[in-house]
Amino acid sequence: MVIIIFIIVLWYSGLFFQTFFLHRYAAHQTFKMSKFGEKLCYVLTWITQGSNYLSAYGYGVMHRLHHAYADTEKDPHSPKYDANLFAMMWRTKKIYQQINEQKAKIEDKFTKNVPQWKAFDRFASSWGSRIGWAVLYTLFFYFFATAWWQWLLLPVAYMMAPIHGVIINWFGHIYGYVNFKVSDTSKNLLRFDWLMMGEAYHNNHHKHGGRANFGGVRWHEIDVTYCIMILLDKMKLIKLNPVAVVKREI
């Protein structure tokens, strides 16, 4: 039971900072926060994502490219241009690294105001950091795993962020329903997003990319991350941008 709880905590804590900090803040800037809050989010992203830490700069720029070129050959991740999900994620990894290491030529509009903490990213993305976290995860399993099948969850701990990515960027462009006509294949993967904390409302998000609330178009579309953001806004820890009320088209 301890191992199951551990995986659940890793899943939702890492996912929260992916969608809250990397996606809604770094890529889309749907809210504002202090420089201290920004630095704190970097550290908490490293703690919660551990061996699969993602840079706010690398993620933010790559995600802006995804929106600009969704389902075209310039899209960093599209099921239309890769034979399988593993090929798509490998290509995504290479593009992310090129952006994060500033080896790719990127137009200014995709990098404007994307937060960057180079020194921390070098540390958190280093092999020393990644291997260190992997060792800690393995030791945790060594001491707390009570059945052989629980060890099958160890690779999930190692690769949590890529798993989050493939759920949305592969399955979220193949399965689900749509509320809006868009120029790409994005779909709302789940009717109530208990798994991805609002990220699964992918069609809604592609239609209204700058909207902090990914759900709220139908009664059952509850965006858990946005609910937390409302609380943080009321506590004056962040300042949400105004969120427009939208209605589905289909």
Side-chain angles (χ1 to χ4, degrees):
M1 189 63 181
V2 173
I3 294 298
I4 301 299
I5 293 172
F6 178 67
I7 291 295
I8 291 172
V9 169
L10 277 186
W11 181 276
Y12 285 106
S13 61
L15 177 61
F16 173 76
F17 283 98
Q18 184 269 340
T19 184
F20 170 75
F21 180 55
L22 305 182
H23 192 179
R24 306 187 201 211
Y25 180 75
H28 292 292
Q29 300 178 345
T30 63
F31 64 94
K32 298 177 179 64
M33 63 178 162
S34 68
K35 286 298 179 183
F36 173 79
E38 186 178 289
K39 292 291 194 292
L40 180 61
C41 282
Y42 268 98
V43 176
L44 292 175
T45 301
W46 174 64
I47 291 171
T48 57
Q49 291 188 335
S51 62
N52 41 99
Y53 169 83
L54 293 172
S55 155
Y57 181 81
Y59 182 100
V61 173
M62 185 173 68
H63 187 72
R64 290 182 179 186
L65 291 170
H66 171 61
H67 274 265
Y69 303 117
D71 286 330
T72 71
E73 292 182 353
K74 292 183 178 181
D75 189 345
H77 37 70
S78 170
K80 290 181 67 176
Y81 291 93
D82 289 293
N84 54 63
L85 58 88
F86 299 104
M88 183 192 76
M89 293 311 293
W90 184 253
R91 183 164 63 89
T92 300
K93 174 183 177 295
K94 291 193 293 184
I95 294 171
Y96 164 81
Q97 286 182 325
Q98 289 174 347
I99 293 170
N100 201 39
E101 295 169 5
Q102 297 187 306
K103 294 179 179 178
K105 187 176 181 181
I106 305 293
E107 295 178 59
D108 291 344
K109 64 181 179 180
F110 296 117
T111 62
K112 185 179 180 181
N113 297 327
V114 178
Q116 188 175 27
W117 189 1
K118 291 182 179 180
F120 188 83
D121 275 344
R122 280 195 300 271
F123 159 71
S125 300
S126 69
W127 279 110
S129 173
R130 295 191 189 284
I131 292 171
W133 280 110
V135 169
L136 289 176
Y137 296 160
T138 305
L139 287 173
F140 189 90
F141 272 69
Y142 176 79
F143 286 109
F144 293 104
T146 56
W148 67 266
W149 59 265
Q150 293 177 1
W151 285 92
L152 299 177
L153 296 173
L154 185 56
V156 177
Y158 292 158
M159 301 295 290
M160 193 77 79
I163 292 170
H164 290 154
V166 82
I167 288 173
I168 300 303
N169 297 319
W170 182 269
F171 295 103
H173 280 262
I174 298 174
Y175 304 106
Y177 68 96
V178 297
N179 286 329
F180 302 100
K181 292 180 180 178
V182 291
S183 60
D184 55 71
T185 59
S186 60
K187 295 176 174 60
N188 293 331
L189 189 58
L190 300 170
R191 290 185 175 273
F192 170 62
D193 186 10
W194 56 273
L195 182 66
M196 298 299 295
M197 298 187 73
E199 288 286 309
Y201 302 129
H202 203 47
N203 174 252
N204 294 355
H205 175 57
H206 268 246
K207 178 64 176 181
H208 300 282
R211 190 169 178 264
N213 185 2
F214 292 0
V217 179
R218 301 195 192 198
W219 69 269
H220 51 76
E221 294 175 355
I222 300 171
D223 182 349
V224 176
T225 299
Y226 181 64
C227 294
I228 297 171
M229 291 167 69
I230 291 174
L231 178 61
L232 294 174
D233 181 74
K234 291 185 181 300
M235 294 171 65
K236 308 297 184 184
L237 296 176
I238 66 171
K239 182 174 178 55
L240 278 168
N241 297 340
V243 177
V245 176
V246 297
K247 295 182 179 180
R248 63 190 176 100
E249 298 172 346
I250 299 175

